[in-house]
């Protein structure tokens, strides 16, 4: 018996923020506590001073601090 595929219940939305501020990007998955990999293009993002990851149940968040134009 195969499991149902994990789907996005709510996909990422574009956010606008001033440079130097922080932004929070959120998505919601169909299955709670699913491992999430955040990427910018082909580059995997890792937790650091700039990037913070949070996950609670089906909701996954990426917080980007000190936003620059290169973060678009």
């Amino acid at each position: 018996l195969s499991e149902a595929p994990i789907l996005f219940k709510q996909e990422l939305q574009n956010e606008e923020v001033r440079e130097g501020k922080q932004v929070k990007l959120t998505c919601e998955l169909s299955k709670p506590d699913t491992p999430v990999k955040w990427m910018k293009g082909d580059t995997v993002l890792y937790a650091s001073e700039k990037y913070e990851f949070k996950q609670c149940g089906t909701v996954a968040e990426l917080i980007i601090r000190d936003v620059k134009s290169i973060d678009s």
Side-chain angles (χ1 to χ4, degrees):
L1 193 66
S2 64
E3 288 190 39
I6 297 166
L7 305 171
F8 285 107
K9 288 171 66 177
Q10 177 190 333
E11 297 198 13
L12 286 176
Q13 302 295 311
N14 287 328
E15 298 284 346
E16 288 192 17
V17 64
R18 289 185 174 190
E19 285 197 24
K21 300 294 184 182
Q22 77 173 27
V23 67
K24 178 169 66 174
L25 302 173
T26 303
C27 65
E28 187 174 1
L29 306 164
S30 59
K31 184 178 176 184
D33 303 316
T34 302
V36 171
K37 184 190 314 184
W38 290 95
M39 301 180 72
K40 182 179 188 291
D42 294 330
T43 304
V44 177
L45 303 179
Y46 295 97
S48 64
E49 296 257 327
K50 184 167 187 74
Y51 302 115
E52 180 182 352
F53 311 116
K54 293 183 179 181
Q55 194 162 357
C56 183
T58 58
V59 177
E61 295 178 345
L62 165 62
I63 297 166
I64 305 174
R65 294 187 183 89
D66 191 20
V67 171
K68 304 287 186 205
S69 58
I70 196 169
D71 296 315
S72 294

